[in-house]
Amino acid sequence: MTYIGSDAFYNCRNLKYTEYEGARYLGNPGNPYVVLKRIRDTGITSFTFQPGTNIICDNAFESCTKLTDIEIPEHITCIGEYVFKGCRYLENVKLPENMTAICSGMFYGCTRLESIEIPDSVEKISSTAFAGCKTLNNVTIPESVKYIYGYAFSECSLLTDVVFENPSGWRYSSKEEFENGTEISSQDLSDPSVAAEYLTDNYVDFYWKLG
């Protein structure tokens, strides 16, 4: 399992949540912390995940405006969309080495996030993943990444340094299906400043695909 949608538990009136240290969980008698549904205390400055937690639901940390640091451990196998939306003081993030996608809007509006290390297991960077990260200034796109969706880096006005570990073979298209695509010069993507301009401006609204 890699993703649980925002309406997965909609109208499940008899669900019983576990409340622990300002967070709401779903689980079972043996492990009440399987799913981190929502942070109830939006005034937290840091957070420690329970060892039994495997899933972070959509918008779980949304508007935790005082959160500054987060480390997502390896036992987290499923991370939803817009998880850290509006965490405007978030500065330091450690992502798990086993994650395969950065979902839509994961860091939307994290205006103090200056840099982030994308694990070399990530294959897809979804739409608006880093949108509105206005102080983000450098990113390395690992060789593992095969897809970058439209607006992934929109409104990243200070992003001027993007390193593609594999700059060859990238194409862009206006359609996700990618029946056709226009090749992007590997020479251009080998230049960090040009690559940044392409991701944040020239081709910001296009789907990118490697191969």
Side-chain angles (χ1 to χ4, degrees), residues 155-175:
E155 298 180 55
C156 295
S157 54
L158 295 184
L159 184 57
T160 58
D161 185 351
V162 175
V163 175
F164 277 82
E165 289 187 348
N166 182 6
S168 301
W170 283 94
R171 296 179 294 141
Y172 69 88
S173 172
S174 59
K175 297 182 179 180

Side-chain angles (χ1 to χ4, degrees), residues 1-3 53-55 73-79 98-100:
M1 180 183 294
T2 57
Y3 175 68
T53 301
N54 302 127
I55 298 166
E74 300 298 321
H75 56 77
I76 302 293
T77 57
C78 177
I79 304 174
N98 58 358
M99 72 184 303
T100 58

Side-chain angles (χ1 to χ4, degrees), residues 79-136:
I79 304 174
E81 298 181 345
Y82 296 94
V83 168
F84 299 104
K85 179 183 177 182
C87 295
R88 60 177 183 266
Y89 283 93
L90 186 62
E91 296 179 345
N92 301 301
V93 177
K94 176 70 169 62
L95 298 174
E97 293 297 329
N98 58 358
M99 72 184 303
T100 58
I102 297 178
C103 287
S104 296
M106 186 172 182
F107 297 103
Y108 189 99
C110 294
T111 55
R112 291 200 179 188
L113 188 64
E114 295 184 3
S115 64
I116 190 167
E117 183 176 344
I118 299 174
D120 58 12
S121 56
V122 170
E123 298 178 0
K124 179 174 72 172
I125 301 175
S126 298
S127 61
T128 66
F130 296 98
C133 293
K134 297 183 178 181
T135 59
L136 187 67

